[in-house]
Amino acid sequence: MVEISTSILSVKKGEETSTFFELETAKTDYFHIDVMDGKFVEKNTYQKMLENASYIKRISSLPLDVHLMVEDVKTAIDDFLAVEPNTITFHLEACKNKEEVYDFIEYIKKNNCKVGISVKPNTNIEEVFEFLPYIHMCLVMTVEPGKGGQTFLTDMLEKIKKLKEYITTQKLDTDIEVDGGINLKTAPEVKKAGANILVAGTAIIMANNFKTIINELKA
Ligand code: DX5
Ligand code: ZN
């Protein structure tokens, strides 16, 4: 059964509280926290996401799935560890070298948090293979990171399949999370390709019944 991680990026201003309560009732598996620093990607959601995450932490016991789209990964890890997330995912493209990737993996784990690595659409999936045995989840971006409501990049299906094949042959149990343009049309394709955690923002937030859309995405 796949899990759903609802991105709160597109939650309408002023409706945050009611939306978070409704998502908690609708039993999203995770709250997906999209942290953007205005450098790695154009938008800056850093403070807003820190506030939203700490608020959700207070009202819900559902896990936080933090997606760092930042250049200064170490600072962001420290800032978001404060909201005790389930997982912290950083971008491979934000790391200077392999040593730094291993340092971040170890540092996140040492702080009792699961670790994910995310790859942008133009990054070859083979570049993440060596880290897979040491991480809990690989986040395959199915849109260019930076904003919600974009169209799913179908070329990414091949990439997800290749990742799933490698994880299977290497007998790893790393989760495959996909993120961007996931809706009732694209969900079946990414599930077939091997994804087991789907991030959805617009598709859920714009729906009039969160429980229904979450169950339909899972089906
Ligand atoms: C984009 C974010 C995604 C995005 C998903 O940079 O990482 O999580 O918010 O939103 P939708 O589902 O609307 O594409
Ligand atoms: Zn995201």
Side-chain angles (χ1 to χ4, degrees):
M1 175 72 108
V2 296
E3 294 180 303
I4 302 299
S5 184
T6 304
S7 163
I8 63 167
L9 185 67
S10 312
V11 172
K12 294 186 197 77
K13 192 138 185 48
E15 296 180 6
E16 289 87 349
T17 316
S18 56
T19 305
F20 298 154
F21 272 107
E22 275 176 57
L23 284 170
E24 142 108 331
T25 317
K27 287 259 165 288
T28 182
D29 293 293
Y30 305 91
F31 285 97
H32 185 79
I33 311 294
D34 279 313
V35 183
M36 302 176 183
D37 64 354
K39 295 182 204 137
F40 185 75
V41 292
E42 214 177 299
K43 269 172 91 154
N44 187 328
T45 66
Y46 203 95
Q47 280 315 320
K48 186 176 147 212
M49 285 301 146
L50 206 44
E51 283 153 29
N52 285 343
S54 39
Y55 180 78
I56 292 170
K57 198 73 203 165
R58 285 203 302 276
I59 61 141
S60 169
S61 56
L62 296 179
L64 301 182
D65 167 31
V66 173
H67 177 195
L68 298 180
M69 289 160 276
V70 302
E71 277 182 2
D72 182 354
V73 176
K74 179 72 172 48
T75 305
I77 291 171
D78 283 331
D79 287 344
F80 281 83
L81 278 171
V83 297
E84 295 170 350
N86 184 65
T87 310
I88 292 182
T89 301
F90 60 89
H91 268 267
L92 191 59
E93 303 88 355
C95 299
K96 282 196 284 296
N97 51 45
K98 291 188 178 182
E99 290 64 45
E100 201 175 59
V101 180
Y102 284 111
D103 288 350
F104 292 152
I105 291 170
E106 200 192 323
Y107 185 69
I108 292 169
K109 283 180 169 175
K110 225 170 47 201
N111 282 278
N112 303 317
C113 182
K114 286 186 174 180
V115 55
I117 293 180
S118 183
V119 285
K120 299 200 309 189
N122 293 340
T123 301
N124 291 328
I125 195 64
E126 290 81 359
E127 288 186 43
V128 80
F129 283 0
E130 76 169 87
F131 307 109
L132 290 173
Y134 313 102
I135 62 177
H136 299 88
M137 178 265 275
C138 178
L139 176 56
V140 180
M141 291 309 294
T142 43
V143 294
E144 197 57 38
K147 57 181 188 300
Q150 300 179 79
T151 307
F152 178 83
L153 298 168
T154 41
D155 303 11
M156 295 300 115
L157 288 170
E158 259 327 291
K159 193 170 176 180
I160 300 163
K161 279 182 201 143
K162 217 185 268 182
L163 176 60
K164 179 64 182 170
E165 209 177 287
Y166 184 82
I167 287 171
T168 310
T169 45
Q170 298 298 314
K171 298 188 177 39
L172 300 171
D173 58 0
T174 321
D175 285 328
I176 300 177
E177 182 169 314
V178 289
D179 184 6
I182 302 298
N183 53 38
L184 290 179
K185 186 175 159 301
T186 54
E189 296 170 282
V190 294
K191 283 187 273 190
K192 213 164 80 216
N196 63 300
I197 305 174
L198 311 184
V199 175
T202 313
I204 294 174
I205 302 299
M206 300 309 167
N208 48 29
N209 185 310
F210 290 162
K211 183 104 190 124
T212 310
I213 185 71
I214 286 172
N215 289 338
E216 286 171 351
L217 285 165
K218 279 185 169 194

